[in-house]
Amino acid sequence: MKYKIFFQLLILLAVPVAIQAQEVLKLEDAVSIALKNNYDIRIASNAGKIDSVGVSIANAGMLPRLDATLTQNNNIQYSKQTRSTGEVQELNNAKNNSLNYGVTLGWTVFDGFKMFARYDQLKELRKQGDAELKMTILTKVSDVMTTYYDLVQQQQLLKALDTTIVISKQRLKTAENRFTIGKASKLEVLNAQVDMNTDATTFLRQKETYENTKIQFNQILARDVSTNFTVLETVEIDDKLVLSDLNDLATKQNPQLQLILINKRISELDLKQIRANRYPTIKLNTGYIFNETQSSLGFTSQSSSRGLNYGVSASLNIFNGFQQTRNEKIAKLQIENSSIAIEKQIQMLNGQLAMAFQTYVTNIELSKLEENNEAIAKNNLEITLDKFKIGTITTLEFRSAQQNYVNAIARNSSAKFQAKISEVTLKEIAGNIKF
């Protein structure tokens, strides 16, 4: 019994001191940091803001345009004039200057409703930007969760490896004591030393993997890669997911499907704008113009004028080499392709969900099985440790029980990790990750 208590204390005290001293990073905090700092999310967010700024009646061409104009022309030339009376006037370096300035206003009041279709299209482009931002966020949040739970299983494995090193040290000490009193051979001591060194090597390799994964995680969070932290080892798996509910959510929320639906709407609005070319375009124009001219030779040496001008213009495309019909056919085919893409995406989503759900169910069952296996392996190691202390089993049997325990912890941690990742994958496909 005292060895069982000793073994339990080893499990509790085997946590590396460096890990205990580090800051504990919660998953929700990691997600918040990623949403704030991640470069891809920030770029997608700014792209969405650009699309929002673009939604305006001015960008759609509904507002008039007011321009200020100024034109000045100067020339110096040799000039010769013959009047009707036969008089000839001739002047070298004759100067002629003209100055024209004012404001003009132009307004397209009708273009076959193209401007309204364009305005609706700008709104759809904004929705497209929102869908792309959501897709980027879902992908990055999924990356955060996947890497976080990967660190959880690695951290658990590190603790198990640290525990087995402590046990191996105790085994070496026991073997040395037994050798001293003549109850064991030198070979037993050497085997214990080799196994302890093997455990230390395995621990260092796993420590390297763990630290590298932490660097990758800091990169995902877009913060200093040297930031030190640990993760919470509690993994709560949602085992209540239902495939039919996920299919319904994916149809409504999957960002890739939403993008394709928006693209179809954009194609429909493209067709409306193309059809608008069959209607006349009517424009109003007005302006207030100042005009001044100076001439060194002629009947009038100087003149000026100013005043308001206004008018209306209309144009209608009658024939452009069948380009109108061609453009409309292309736009209709693009709409048809969008409809096909929607059907394809829905089928793909259903297939992805079906396969991911089967993996999810399997991993849930495996996590329960491996949890039970870990408990059995732990009990077996406790019993084996008691027997080893009194010398009723060989070192080979003890080493086998020790390795079985570590492997059971690794499998249990991996099974929980795979089950959680399956859950995250299903929710990502359904567009239902909470963040």
Side-chain angles (χ1 to χ4, degrees), residues 289-300:
I289 303 299
F290 296 82
N291 187 29
E292 297 181 4
T293 60
Q294 294 179 345
S295 176
S296 299
L297 187 66
F299 289 105
T300 305

Side-chain angles (χ1 to χ4, degrees), residues 378-432:
K378 178 181 178 181
N379 187 42
N380 179 58
L381 182 57
E382 289 174 347
I383 295 173
T384 304
L385 182 60
D386 287 339
K387 291 184 177 181
F388 179 74
K389 290 294 185 180
I390 60 177
T392 58
I393 63 171
T394 65
T395 57
L396 183 63
E397 291 175 306
F398 175 80
R399 180 63 176 173
S400 178
Q402 186 182 14
Q403 290 178 331
N404 286 339
Y405 173 66
V406 175
N407 291 337
I409 292 177
R411 289 198 307 270
N412 184 26
S413 180
S414 177
K416 284 185 170 58
F417 170 72
Q418 295 298 333
K420 188 62 181 180
I421 296 310
S422 298
E423 174 200 331
V424 172
T425 300
L426 284 171
K427 291 181 177 180
E428 181 183 1
I429 296 173
N432 196 42

Side-chain angles (χ1 to χ4, degrees), residues 142-190:
S142 177
D143 290 345
V144 169
M145 298 177 75
T146 300
T147 309
Y148 187 92
Y149 289 118
D150 187 19
L151 285 170
V152 169
Q153 72 159 342
Q154 290 189 37
Q155 192 166 291
Q156 291 173 342
L157 181 57
L158 270 180
K159 288 184 177 181
L161 292 173
D162 191 68
T163 299
T164 199
I165 288 176
V166 176
I167 296 173
S168 293
K169 288 180 178 179
Q170 182 64 27
R171 172 192 163 194
L172 176 61
K173 183 178 181 181
T174 301
E176 289 173 342
N177 292 337
R178 287 160 58 87
F179 173 73
T180 301
I181 62 177
K183 289 187 176 182
S185 65
K186 184 65 176 179
L187 181 61
E188 181 177 327
V189 176
L190 294 175

Side-chain angles (χ1 to χ4, degrees), residues 304-422:
S304 64
S305 63
R306 61 182 180 179
L308 178 69
N309 63 71
Y310 54 91
V312 61
S313 64
S315 63
L316 175 63
N317 174 37
I318 298 176
F319 179 74
N320 65 348
F322 303 108
Q323 289 297 315
Q324 179 66 28
T325 302
R326 171 182 168 277
N327 291 337
E328 289 183 11
K329 286 183 179 179
I330 292 174
K332 290 177 181 178
L333 289 173
Q334 289 174 338
I335 294 174
E336 183 179 347
N337 280 342
S338 297
S339 299
I340 295 172
I342 291 172
E343 294 176 5
K344 177 184 176 182
Q345 184 65 26
I346 291 175
Q347 186 183 46
M348 186 181 298
L349 283 176
N350 290 337
Q352 288 176 342
L353 283 171
M355 290 187 293
F357 189 79
Q358 183 59 52
T359 303
Y360 162 77
V361 171
T362 301
N363 287 334
I364 291 293
E365 293 299 320
L366 286 175
S367 66
K368 295 177 181 178
L369 177 63
E370 294 298 344
E371 184 175 3
N372 185 49
N373 283 341
E374 181 182 338
I376 294 173
K378 178 181 178 181
N379 187 42
N380 179 58
L381 182 57
E382 289 174 347
I383 295 173
T384 304
L385 182 60
D386 287 339
K387 291 184 177 181
F388 179 74
K389 290 294 185 180
I390 60 177
T392 58
I393 63 171
T394 65
T395 57
L396 183 63
E397 291 175 306
F398 175 80
R399 180 63 176 173
S400 178
Q402 186 182 14
Q403 290 178 331
N404 286 339
Y405 173 66
V406 175
N407 291 337
I409 292 177
R411 289 198 307 270
N412 184 26
S413 180
S414 177
K416 284 185 170 58
F417 170 72
Q418 295 298 333
K420 188 62 181 180
I421 296 310
S422 298

Side-chain angles (χ1 to χ4, degrees), residues 43-269:
I43 291 172
S45 178
N46 285 336
K49 292 176 182 178
I50 292 173
D51 292 332
S52 296
V53 172
V55 180
S56 66
I57 58 176
N59 200 21
M62 295 182 180
L63 296 181
R65 174 169 177 167
L66 181 66
D67 293 309
T69 63
L70 186 147
T71 303
Q72 182 171 358
N73 292 315
N74 304 300
N75 60 72
I76 302 175
Q77 59 188 2
Y78 167 77
S79 180
K80 181 180 180 180
Q81 296 179 354
T82 303
R83 298 185 178 181
S84 59
T85 60
E87 180 184 356
V88 177
Q89 287 190 338
E90 186 177 0
L91 181 63
N92 194 20
N93 293 327
K95 296 181 180 180
N96 297 292
N97 304 322
S98 65
L99 176 63
N100 183 288
Y101 60 95
V103 291
T104 60
L105 177 70
W107 191 3
T108 301
V109 294
F110 181 75
D111 61 355
F113 306 105
K114 182 189 293 186
M115 64 182 72
F116 296 100
R118 174 60 180 164
Y119 186 60
D120 290 339
Q121 191 176 62
L122 291 173
K123 293 179 181 178
E124 294 301 320
L125 290 172
R126 179 176 60 189
K127 293 179 183 179
Q128 186 182 61
D130 292 340
E132 289 173 346
L133 174 59
K134 181 180 179 181
M135 183 168 63
T136 301
I137 290 176
L138 283 174
T139 300
K140 294 307 172 183
V141 170
S142 177
D143 290 345
V144 169
M145 298 177 75
T146 300
T147 309
Y148 187 92
Y149 289 118
D150 187 19
L151 285 170
V152 169
Q153 72 159 342
Q154 290 189 37
Q155 192 166 291
Q156 291 173 342
L157 181 57
L158 270 180
K159 288 184 177 181
L161 292 173
D162 191 68
T163 299
T164 199
I165 288 176
V166 176
I167 296 173
S168 293
K169 288 180 178 179
Q170 182 64 27
R171 172 192 163 194
L172 176 61
K173 183 178 181 181
T174 301
E176 289 173 342
N177 292 337
R178 287 160 58 87
F179 173 73
T180 301
I181 62 177
K183 289 187 176 182
S185 65
K186 184 65 176 179
L187 181 61
E188 181 177 327
V189 176
L190 294 175
N191 285 334
Q193 180 70 57
V194 169
D195 289 340
M196 187 187 71
N197 291 340
T198 299
D199 293 339
T201 299
T202 303
F203 176 85
L204 290 174
R205 290 298 184 189
Q206 180 57 41
K207 181 70 173 176
E208 177 189 14
T209 302
Y210 175 71
E211 294 297 333
N212 286 338
T213 305
K214 286 169 65 175
I215 292 174
Q216 294 173 358
F217 193 58
N218 283 327
Q219 288 179 322
I220 295 174
L221 301 185
R223 65 178 186 174
D224 187 354
V225 295
S226 63
T227 302
N228 216 347
F229 64 94
T230 60
V231 294
L232 292 176
E233 296 185 13
T234 302
V235 179
E236 297 181 0
I237 303 172
D238 184 0
D239 58 356
K240 306 298 183 184
L241 298 181
V242 180
L243 181 58
S244 58
D245 295 340
L246 293 169
N247 281 322
D248 292 340
L249 286 173
T251 303
K252 298 175 183 178
Q253 299 182 4
N254 180 270
Q256 291 179 319
L257 179 57
Q258 295 304 310
L259 279 172
I260 297 176
L261 290 169
I262 292 171
N263 285 334
K264 180 184 178 183
R265 177 59 178 159
I266 290 174
S267 296
E268 292 170 346
L269 292 169

